[in-house]
Amino acid sequence: MKKTIYTICFLYGTLAFSQEIKSDTVSTSETKELQEVIVKAQRKKQFADKAVYTFDKAALEKARYAKDLLSTLPELQMDPISNTITSTKGGATLFLINGVEATDMQIRSIAPNEVVKVEYYDIPPARWATRADIVVNIMTRSTETGYVFGAEGSSALNTGFINASAYANYTKGKNDIGLEYSINLRDYTDRRVNSIYDYQLDGQRYHSNEDRKDHFGYTFQSVALRYTRLVPDNYALQIKLNTDIFSRFSKGTGQSIFTIDNTGEEHAMFKNNGSDYVIPKLDLYYSKKIGSKDELSINAVGSDYTTYTSETAKEWVKGSGVAVYDNDMVLKAKQTNFVGELAHTHDFVAGKLSSGYRISRSSISNDLNNLSGYSQYKVTYLEQYFYTEFSGKIDKFSYRVGAGLTNIHNKSAENTFNEWSFTPKVVLAYQLKNNQSLRLTSSYKPISPLSNALSSNVVQLAPNIVQKGNPFLTSQQKWISSLTYSSNNKYFDFNINAFYSYTDRVINQYYILDHTFGGYALTYENGKYSQQYGVQFTGSYKPFGNTLLVIKANLAPTSEMVKTSADKVIKNNYFGNYFVLSSEYKSFSVQYQFNIPTFSLNGAFLNTNENQNHIFIRYKHKNFTFSTGMYWMGMPSEYKTKSLSESLVDYRLHTQIMNNKSMFVLGISYDFSKGKKTEIQKKLNNDTAPAATF
C-alpha cells in the first residue's frame, strides 16, 4: 500500500511541474487538436496516432446508420458471423461515441447525418492502450430532444443460426434513457472432429485415432438500461445496468482405434460439457469540468456472479466394456469483479496533459470436483495502472510521449506473484507530403496470464493425456516497435507497417510427463522469450474512385520464434491474408469476403485461422433493409491443429462444422430516428474480467 501511495504522489507531483504542451481535445470547436494534420485528403486527416475521417453526401445517403459508415473505413469491415464491425488487422477493437464506450446497437442508433467525423486510433492513447489494439471514436452533433428505435434479425434457413437485436432511446432536455437487447444463438447438430495422439510411454508406442460427432451450441444474450444526465460545460452523469446471459453445451459420441505397439483395439466414447452464467454489471460514470481548462472523471464498474462448468467424458473398450478412462469435472466459480479509474486532463495554450490511475480486481472462489478429487480454493487477480502522457509538434515533426507504472498481483492457494513494471510509450511522426507520413512507435508492457492458465484444474483429454494449468506462472513482458508508412488519395488508402515484438518470459503451452496420472499432461510454462517480425499491408483500393468497387486487403508475411525454458527453439513462418470485395449501386450493395488459412504458433501447437468464403447482398428501402447471403460457399467451416516436432506428444486435430457448409441466411432490419440523442463525452471506459472457465 505504501508503494501505491508513494507512486501516486510522485506522478501527480511530476504533473504539477510539467511544462505546457499542445492539446488533443476534439470535443469542442474552440480547442485545438493534439497534433497538426500530417495528411490531407477529401475524407481523411492523418495524425501521429490516429486518422480522422469525414464522409461526403453520397456516403451519408447510402448508409442506414453510423455502423455502415464505419465499414467504409479502409481497415474496418463487417464481420458476417457476429454481425459487428471488426478490424481487418485483427486484435481487440474498442468503439466509442463521443468518448463513451459503445455497444453495437448504440452505433446503429446514430443516423448517418448525425456523424461529424470518426477518429480511428491505430495507436491507442494511454488510457485505452492496455485494453485495445484499435480505438474507433464516433463524433456526433450537438444534443437535441428526440427518439430512436430499431430492430434487426437474421437467420439461417436450414440450421440453428440466429442474430437478433432491438434498441430504443429517448432524450428530453438534459436527460436520456436507452434500452437495448441482443441475442446470438447457435445450435449445430453436425460437428465432426478427428483427433490423433501418438507418443512413447514406458518403452511402448501409443497411437489413438478418434472420430467424433458433436451436437453443440451456445446462446448469448445481453440486456442494457442506461440513464444519462448531461449539463453542457458543467458535468455528465451516466448510470448503466447491464446483464449478460450465456450458456453453451456440447454432446458428442464417437469411436477410436487405440494401438499399443502393434496391438490395436476398438474403443467407444462420449464427451459432454457445458457452461453457463448470468453477469449483472453496474457501471457508474461522472465527469466534472473544473474551470475552462480542467476536467476530472471517475468510472467504477462492478459485477458479482457464479459460473457453472461441467465436463463428463468416458472411453471404454468395445465388446468387453472395460473402462479406459472416466472423467467427471464439475466447477462452481463464484466471481466478484471491480474496476475503478480516476483521470484528470488539463488544457494548456500549447496542448493537453492527461494522467490517471486504474485498478482492477477479480476474486474467484472455486468449488471443484475433478480427477484429483474435491477441493475448494480461492484466487485473486489484482492489477494497478498509473499513466501520464503529453504530445507536441515542431514544424513537420510531432510526437506523443507516455509513461506508466503497472503492478500485477496474482494470488492463489499455491503461489503469490507480485511485480511492478515501468511501461513507457513513444510515438514519433513526420510529414513527408500532404498525403504521406512516417510514424514510429515503441512500447513496453506486462501481460498477466489468463485465469485458465493459472488454474489448478485437471481434465482428461484422451487415454494417458490430461490438461492442467500452472499456478506458478509469472507475467509476460512485451516490447513492441513498428514503423508505418501511410498514404492516401482518391483511389488508395493504405498503411505499410514493419513490426517487431519481443516477449520476455513468454507463456508457452507444452506437454510434460506427469507421474501423478501416469501419462502426459498439457500444461503451461514461462519460456525464455519469443519474437515476431514482419511487414503488414492494410488498406483499400477504389479503381473508379468511388464505392462502385472497393477492394480491401490485409497481407502480412510474418516470422515467429519461441525459445522454451529447456532452450528448444521453435520457428514458424506464415503469410497472413484477408480480402474484401464490395460494390454499392443506388440502394443495392454486395460484399464478398475470403481468405487462405495459414498456420501460426499457439503454445505447443500450430493452429489455422478460420476459413472464410462469404457473400452478402443488401437492399435498402426507406427505413427497411433486406439482406441475404451465403456463408462458407461450397465448404464447411474448418479448423486445424498440429503439434510441433519438438513436442513429446504428436497431436493432430481436424474439426469441421458441416451445418455451416453453404449456409443460406435471410435478414431484415428496421431503423427509425427523430431528433438527436444525448451522447456524453466519457473519458473513462472499463469492463470487468470475463467469466473464469477451464
Side-chain angles (χ1 to χ4, degrees), residues 80-99:
I81 310 302
S82 62
N83 195 33
T84 58
I85 298 294
T86 59
S87 170
T88 60
K89 299 169 63 175
T93 304
L94 177 66
F95 293 94
L96 315 172
I97 300 175
N98 294 332

mmCIF file with all atom_site columns, all heavy atoms in Angstrom, residues 80-99:
data_model
loop_
_atom_site.group_PDB
_atom_site.id
_atom_site.type_symbol
_atom_site.label_atom_id
_atom_site.label_alt_id
_atom_site.label_comp_id
_atom_site.label_asym_id
_atom_site.label_entity_id
_atom_site.label_seq_id
_atom_site.pdbx_PDB_ins_code
_atom_site.Cartn_x
_atom_site.Cartn_y
_atom_site.Cartn_z
_atom_site.occupancy
_atom_site.B_iso_or_equiv
_atom_site.pdbx_formal_charge
_atom_site.auth_seq_id
_atom_site.auth_comp_id
_atom_site.auth_asym_id
_atom_site.auth_atom_id
_atom_site.pdbx_PDB_model_num
ATOM 1   N N   . PRO A 1 80 ? -19.465 -10.986 -40.814 1.00 0.00 ? 80 PRO A N   1
ATOM 2   C CA  . PRO A 1 80 ? -20.785 -11.561 -41.044 1.00 0.00 ? 80 PRO A CA  1
ATOM 3   C C   . PRO A 1 80 ? -21.196 -12.584 -39.989 1.00 0.00 ? 80 PRO A C   1
ATOM 4   O O   . PRO A 1 80 ? -22.383 -12.864 -39.835 1.00 0.00 ? 80 PRO A O   1
ATOM 5   C CB  . PRO A 1 80 ? -20.647 -12.215 -42.421 1.00 0.00 ? 80 PRO A CB  1
ATOM 6   C CG  . PRO A 1 80 ? -19.191 -12.533 -42.541 1.00 0.00 ? 80 PRO A CG  1
ATOM 7   C CD  . PRO A 1 80 ? -18.484 -11.425 -41.825 1.00 0.00 ? 80 PRO A CD  1
ATOM 8   N N   . ILE A 1 81 ? -20.240 -13.148 -39.262 1.00 0.00 ? 81 ILE A N   1
ATOM 9   C CA  . ILE A 1 81 ? -20.576 -14.158 -38.260 1.00 0.00 ? 81 ILE A CA  1
ATOM 10  C C   . ILE A 1 81 ? -21.231 -13.512 -37.042 1.00 0.00 ? 81 ILE A C   1
ATOM 11  O O   . ILE A 1 81 ? -22.285 -13.931 -36.570 1.00 0.00 ? 81 ILE A O   1
ATOM 12  C CB  . ILE A 1 81 ? -19.327 -14.950 -37.835 1.00 0.00 ? 81 ILE A CB  1
ATOM 13  C CG1 . ILE A 1 81 ? -18.575 -15.455 -39.065 1.00 0.00 ? 81 ILE A CG1 1
ATOM 14  C CG2 . ILE A 1 81 ? -19.709 -16.091 -36.907 1.00 0.00 ? 81 ILE A CG2 1
ATOM 15  C CD1 . ILE A 1 81 ? -19.383 -16.331 -39.972 1.00 0.00 ? 81 ILE A CD1 1
ATOM 16  N N   . SER A 1 82 ? -20.597 -12.461 -36.514 1.00 0.00 ? 82 SER A N   1
ATOM 17  C CA  . SER A 1 82 ? -21.124 -11.790 -35.324 1.00 0.00 ? 82 SER A CA  1
ATOM 18  C C   . SER A 1 82 ? -21.997 -10.595 -35.670 1.00 0.00 ? 82 SER A C   1
ATOM 19  O O   . SER A 1 82 ? -22.636 -10.016 -34.795 1.00 0.00 ? 82 SER A O   1
ATOM 20  C CB  . SER A 1 82 ? -19.966 -11.320 -34.434 1.00 0.00 ? 82 SER A CB  1
ATOM 21  O OG  . SER A 1 82 ? -19.152 -10.376 -35.127 1.00 0.00 ? 82 SER A OG  1
ATOM 22  N N   . ASN A 1 83 ? -22.007 -10.182 -36.951 1.00 0.00 ? 83 ASN A N   1
ATOM 23  C CA  . ASN A 1 83 ? -22.736 -9.004  -37.406 1.00 0.00 ? 83 ASN A CA  1
ATOM 24  C C   . ASN A 1 83 ? -22.248 -7.737  -36.711 1.00 0.00 ? 83 ASN A C   1
ATOM 25  O O   . ASN A 1 83 ? -23.022 -6.848  -36.369 1.00 0.00 ? 83 ASN A O   1
ATOM 26  C CB  . ASN A 1 83 ? -24.248 -9.179  -37.213 1.00 0.00 ? 83 ASN A CB  1
ATOM 27  C CG  . ASN A 1 83 ? -25.053 -8.154  -37.984 1.00 0.00 ? 83 ASN A CG  1
ATOM 28  O OD1 . ASN A 1 83 ? -24.640 -7.724  -39.068 1.00 0.00 ? 83 ASN A OD1 1
ATOM 29  N ND2 . ASN A 1 83 ? -26.183 -7.739  -37.451 1.00 0.00 ? 83 ASN A ND2 1
ATOM 30  N N   . THR A 1 84 ? -20.957 -7.658  -36.482 1.00 0.00 ? 84 THR A N   1
ATOM 31  C CA  . THR A 1 84 ? -20.347 -6.496  -35.838 1.00 0.00 ? 84 THR A CA  1
ATOM 32  C C   . THR A 1 84 ? -19.187 -5.996  -36.703 1.00 0.00 ? 84 THR A C   1
ATOM 33  O O   . THR A 1 84 ? -18.694 -6.702  -37.584 1.00 0.00 ? 84 THR A O   1
ATOM 34  C CB  . THR A 1 84 ? -19.820 -6.833  -34.440 1.00 0.00 ? 84 THR A CB  1
ATOM 35  O OG1 . THR A 1 84 ? -18.864 -7.902  -34.544 1.00 0.00 ? 84 THR A OG1 1
ATOM 36  C CG2 . THR A 1 84 ? -20.956 -7.263  -33.518 1.00 0.00 ? 84 THR A CG2 1
ATOM 37  N N   . ILE A 1 85 ? -18.738 -4.776  -36.421 1.00 0.00 ? 85 ILE A N   1
ATOM 38  C CA  . ILE A 1 85 ? -17.594 -4.199  -37.112 1.00 0.00 ? 85 ILE A CA  1
ATOM 39  C C   . ILE A 1 85 ? -16.306 -4.703  -36.463 1.00 0.00 ? 85 ILE A C   1
ATOM 40  O O   . ILE A 1 85 ? -16.152 -4.642  -35.242 1.00 0.00 ? 85 ILE A O   1
ATOM 41  C CB  . ILE A 1 85 ? -17.649 -2.664  -37.059 1.00 0.00 ? 85 ILE A CB  1
ATOM 42  C CG1 . ILE A 1 85 ? -18.904 -2.142  -37.764 1.00 0.00 ? 85 ILE A CG1 1
ATOM 43  C CG2 . ILE A 1 85 ? -16.401 -2.066  -37.700 1.00 0.00 ? 85 ILE A CG2 1
ATOM 44  C CD1 . ILE A 1 85 ? -18.930 -2.392  -39.243 1.00 0.00 ? 85 ILE A CD1 1
ATOM 45  N N   . THR A 1 86 ? -15.383 -5.195  -37.270 1.00 0.00 ? 86 THR A N   1
ATOM 46  C CA  . THR A 1 86 ? -14.094 -5.667  -36.770 1.00 0.00 ? 86 THR A CA  1
ATOM 47  C C   . THR A 1 86 ? -12.978 -5.072  -37.623 1.00 0.00 ? 86 THR A C   1
ATOM 48  O O   . THR A 1 86 ? -13.215 -4.514  -38.693 1.00 0.00 ? 86 THR A O   1
ATOM 49  C CB  . THR A 1 86 ? -13.999 -7.203  -36.815 1.00 0.00 ? 86 THR A CB  1
ATOM 50  O OG1 . THR A 1 86 ? -14.183 -7.643  -38.167 1.00 0.00 ? 86 THR A OG1 1
ATOM 51  C CG2 . THR A 1 86 ? -15.051 -7.841  -35.925 1.00 0.00 ? 86 THR A CG2 1
ATOM 52  N N   . SER A 1 87 ? -11.758 -5.212  -37.147 1.00 0.00 ? 87 SER A N   1
ATOM 53  C CA  . SER A 1 87 ? -10.599 -4.706  -37.872 1.00 0.00 ? 87 SER A CA  1
ATOM 54  C C   . SER A 1 87 ? -10.046 -5.783  -38.794 1.00 0.00 ? 87 SER A C   1
ATOM 55  O O   . SER A 1 87 ? -9.944  -6.958  -38.407 1.00 0.00 ? 87 SER A O   1
ATOM 56  C CB  . SER A 1 87 ? -9.519  -4.258  -36.888 1.00 0.00 ? 87 SER A CB  1
ATOM 57  O OG  . SER A 1 87 ? -8.306  -3.986  -37.564 1.00 0.00 ? 87 SER A OG  1
ATOM 58  N N   . THR A 1 88 ? -9.680  -5.403  -40.005 1.00 0.00 ? 88 THR A N   1
ATOM 59  C CA  . THR A 1 88 ? -9.035  -6.353  -40.912 1.00 0.00 ? 88 THR A CA  1
ATOM 60  C C   . THR A 1 88 ? -7.646  -6.734  -40.417 1.00 0.00 ? 88 THR A C   1
ATOM 61  O O   . THR A 1 88 ? -7.081  -7.744  -40.846 1.00 0.00 ? 88 THR A O   1
ATOM 62  C CB  . THR A 1 88 ? -8.923  -5.766  -42.325 1.00 0.00 ? 88 THR A CB  1
ATOM 63  O OG1 . THR A 1 88 ? -8.147  -4.566  -42.281 1.00 0.00 ? 88 THR A OG1 1
ATOM 64  C CG2 . THR A 1 88 ? -10.288 -5.459  -42.902 1.00 0.00 ? 88 THR A CG2 1
ATOM 65  N N   . LYS A 1 89 ? -7.080  -5.945  -39.491 1.00 0.00 ? 89 LYS A N   1
ATOM 66  C CA  . LYS A 1 89 ? -5.762  -6.235  -38.930 1.00 0.00 ? 89 LYS A CA  1
ATOM 67  C C   . LYS A 1 89 ? -5.827  -7.248  -37.802 1.00 0.00 ? 89 LYS A C   1
ATOM 68  O O   . LYS A 1 89 ? -4.807  -7.768  -37.372 1.00 0.00 ? 89 LYS A O   1
ATOM 69  C CB  . LYS A 1 89 ? -5.120  -4.942  -38.408 1.00 0.00 ? 89 LYS A CB  1
ATOM 70  C CG  . LYS A 1 89 ? -4.891  -3.892  -39.464 1.00 0.00 ? 89 LYS A CG  1
ATOM 71  C CD  . LYS A 1 89 ? -4.501  -2.552  -38.862 1.00 0.00 ? 89 LYS A CD  1
ATOM 72  C CE  . LYS A 1 89 ? -3.199  -2.619  -38.124 1.00 0.00 ? 89 LYS A CE  1
ATOM 73  N NZ  . LYS A 1 89 ? -2.767  -1.286  -37.646 1.00 0.00 ? 89 LYS A NZ  1
ATOM 74  N N   . GLY A 1 90 ? -7.038  -7.510  -37.276 1.00 0.00 ? 90 GLY A N   1
ATOM 75  C CA  . GLY A 1 90 ? -7.164  -8.375  -36.119 1.00 0.00 ? 90 GLY A CA  1
ATOM 76  C C   . GLY A 1 90 ? -6.946  -7.601  -34.830 1.00 0.00 ? 90 GLY A C   1
ATOM 77  O O   . GLY A 1 90 ? -6.757  -6.383  -34.828 1.00 0.00 ? 90 GLY A O   1
ATOM 78  N N   . GLY A 1 91 ? -6.955  -8.304  -33.694 1.00 0.00 ? 91 GLY A N   1
ATOM 79  C CA  . GLY A 1 91 ? -6.777  -7.661  -32.396 1.00 0.00 ? 91 GLY A CA  1
ATOM 80  C C   . GLY A 1 91 ? -8.079  -7.132  -31.834 1.00 0.00 ? 91 GLY A C   1
ATOM 81  O O   . GLY A 1 91 ? -9.138  -7.192  -32.466 1.00 0.00 ? 91 GLY A O   1
ATOM 82  N N   . ALA A 1 92 ? -8.012  -6.601  -30.614 1.00 0.00 ? 92 ALA A N   1
ATOM 83  C CA  . ALA A 1 92 ? -9.194  -6.085  -29.914 1.00 0.00 ? 92 ALA A CA  1
ATOM 84  C C   . ALA A 1 92 ? -9.495  -4.663  -30.373 1.00 0.00 ? 92 ALA A C   1
ATOM 85  O O   . ALA A 1 92 ? -8.601  -3.810  -30.448 1.00 0.00 ? 92 ALA A O   1
ATOM 86  C CB  . ALA A 1 92 ? -8.969  -6.106  -28.409 1.00 0.00 ? 92 ALA A CB  1
ATOM 87  N N   . THR A 1 93 ? -10.780 -4.398  -30.688 1.00 0.00 ? 93 THR A N   1
ATOM 88  C CA  . THR A 1 93 ? -11.218 -3.074  -31.122 1.00 0.00 ? 93 THR A CA  1
ATOM 89  C C   . THR A 1 93 ? -12.216 -2.516  -30.127 1.00 0.00 ? 93 THR A C   1
ATOM 90  O O   . THR A 1 93 ? -13.173 -3.198  -29.743 1.00 0.00 ? 93 THR A O   1
ATOM 91  C CB  . THR A 1 93 ? -11.865 -3.137  -32.516 1.00 0.00 ? 93 THR A CB  1
ATOM 92  O OG1 . THR A 1 93 ? -10.945 -3.729  -33.441 1.00 0.00 ? 93 THR A OG1 1
ATOM 93  C CG2 . THR A 1 93 ? -12.231 -1.753  -33.011 1.00 0.00 ? 93 THR A CG2 1
ATOM 94  N N   . LEU A 1 94 ? -12.001 -1.275  -29.688 1.00 0.00 ? 94 LEU A N   1
ATOM 95  C CA  . LEU A 1 94 ? -12.888 -0.598  -28.746 1.00 0.00 ? 94 LEU A CA  1
ATOM 96  C C   . LEU A 1 94 ? -13.618 0.518   -29.484 1.00 0.00 ? 94 LEU A C   1
ATOM 97  O O   . LEU A 1 94 ? -12.991 1.335   -30.159 1.00 0.00 ? 94 LEU A O   1
ATOM 98  C CB  . LEU A 1 94 ? -12.080 -0.010  -27.585 1.00 0.00 ? 94 LEU A CB  1
ATOM 99  C CG  . LEU A 1 94 ? -12.860 0.791   -26.534 1.00 0.00 ? 94 LEU A CG  1
ATOM 100 C CD1 . LEU A 1 94 ? -13.809 -0.113  -25.765 1.00 0.00 ? 94 LEU A CD1 1
ATOM 101 C CD2 . LEU A 1 94 ? -11.894 1.479   -25.568 1.00 0.00 ? 94 LEU A CD2 1
ATOM 102 N N   . PHE A 1 95 ? -14.951 0.544   -29.362 1.00 0.00 ? 95 PHE A N   1
ATOM 103 C CA  . PHE A 1 95 ? -15.759 1.557   -30.030 1.00 0.00 ? 95 PHE A CA  1
ATOM 104 C C   . PHE A 1 95 ? -16.301 2.558   -29.020 1.00 0.00 ? 95 PHE A C   1
ATOM 105 O O   . PHE A 1 95 ? -16.779 2.171   -27.938 1.00 0.00 ? 95 PHE A O   1
ATOM 106 C CB  . PHE A 1 95 ? -16.917 0.905   -30.793 1.00 0.00 ? 95 PHE A CB  1
ATOM 107 C CG  . PHE A 1 95 ? -16.465 0.080   -31.955 1.00 0.00 ? 95 PHE A CG  1
ATOM 108 C CD1 . PHE A 1 95 ? -16.259 -1.279  -31.819 1.00 0.00 ? 95 PHE A CD1 1
ATOM 109 C CD2 . PHE A 1 95 ? -16.217 0.663   -33.189 1.00 0.00 ? 95 PHE A CD2 1
ATOM 110 C CE1 . PHE A 1 95 ? -15.824 -2.049  -32.879 1.00 0.00 ? 95 PHE A CE1 1
ATOM 111 C CE2 . PHE A 1 95 ? -15.781 -0.092  -34.262 1.00 0.00 ? 95 PHE A CE2 1
ATOM 112 C CZ  . PHE A 1 95 ? -15.589 -1.459  -34.108 1.00 0.00 ? 95 PHE A CZ  1
ATOM 113 N N   . LEU A 1 96 ? -16.237 3.831   -29.379 1.00 0.00 ? 96 LEU A N   1
ATOM 114 C CA  . LEU A 1 96 ? -16.706 4.912   -28.521 1.00 0.00 ? 96 LEU A CA  1
ATOM 115 C C   . LEU A 1 96 ? -17.644 5.810   -29.322 1.00 0.00 ? 96 LEU A C   1
ATOM 116 O O   . LEU A 1 96 ? -17.526 5.919   -30.542 1.00 0.00 ? 96 LEU A O   1
ATOM 117 C CB  . LEU A 1 96 ? -15.537 5.759   -28.009 1.00 0.00 ? 96 LEU A CB  1
ATOM 118 C CG  . LEU A 1 96 ? -14.294 5.043   -27.483 1.00 0.00 ? 96 LEU A CG  1
ATOM 119 C CD1 . LEU A 1 96 ? -13.192 6.061   -27.220 1.00 0.00 ? 96 LEU A CD1 1
ATOM 120 C CD2 . LEU A 1 96 ? -14.613 4.277   -26.219 1.00 0.00 ? 96 LEU A CD2 1
ATOM 121 N N   . ILE A 1 97 ? -18.573 6.456   -28.615 1.00 0.00 ? 97 ILE A N   1
ATOM 122 C CA  . ILE A 1 97 ? -19.387 7.523   -29.195 1.00 0.00 ? 97 ILE A CA  1
ATOM 123 C C   . ILE A 1 97 ? -19.126 8.775   -28.367 1.00 0.00 ? 97 ILE A C   1
ATOM 124 O O   . ILE A 1 97 ? -19.469 8.826   -27.191 1.00 0.00 ? 97 ILE A O   1
ATOM 125 C CB  . ILE A 1 97 ? -20.885 7.175   -29.184 1.00 0.00 ? 97 ILE A CB  1
ATOM 126 C CG1 . ILE A 1 97 ? -21.150 5.911   -29.998 1.00 0.00 ? 97 ILE A CG1 1
ATOM 127 C CG2 . ILE A 1 97 ? -21.699 8.348   -29.735 1.00 0.00 ? 97 ILE A CG2 1
ATOM 128 C CD1 . ILE A 1 97 ? -22.589 5.429   -29.927 1.00 0.00 ? 97 ILE A CD1 1
ATOM 129 N N   . ASN A 1 98 ? -18.455 9.742   -28.956 1.00 0.00 ? 98 ASN A N   1
ATOM 130 C CA  . ASN A 1 98 ? -18.041 10.943  -28.226 1.00 0.00 ? 98 ASN A CA  1
ATOM 131 C C   . ASN A 1 98 ? -17.277 10.597  -26.956 1.00 0.00 ? 98 ASN A C   1
ATOM 132 O O   . ASN A 1 98 ? -17.431 11.235  -25.921 1.00 0.00 ? 98 ASN A O   1
ATOM 133 C CB  . ASN A 1 98 ? -19.250 11.820  -27.890 1.00 0.00 ? 98 ASN A CB  1
ATOM 134 C CG  . ASN A 1 98 ? -19.905 12.409  -29.109 1.00 0.00 ? 98 ASN A CG  1
ATOM 135 O OD1 . ASN A 1 98 ? -19.260 12.620  -30.130 1.00 0.00 ? 98 ASN A OD1 1
ATOM 136 N ND2 . ASN A 1 98 ? -21.196 12.659  -29.019 1.00 0.00 ? 98 ASN A ND2 1
ATOM 137 N N   . GLY A 1 99 ? -16.453 9.564   -27.041 1.00 0.00 ? 99 GLY A N   1
ATOM 138 C CA  . GLY A 1 99 ? -15.654 9.154   -25.891 1.00 0.00 ? 99 GLY A CA  1
ATOM 139 C C   . GLY A 1 99 ? -16.313 8.149   -24.989 1.00 0.00 ? 99 GLY A C   1
ATOM 140 O O   . GLY A 1 99 ? -15.692 7.658   -24.053 1.00 0.00 ? 99 GLY A O   1
#
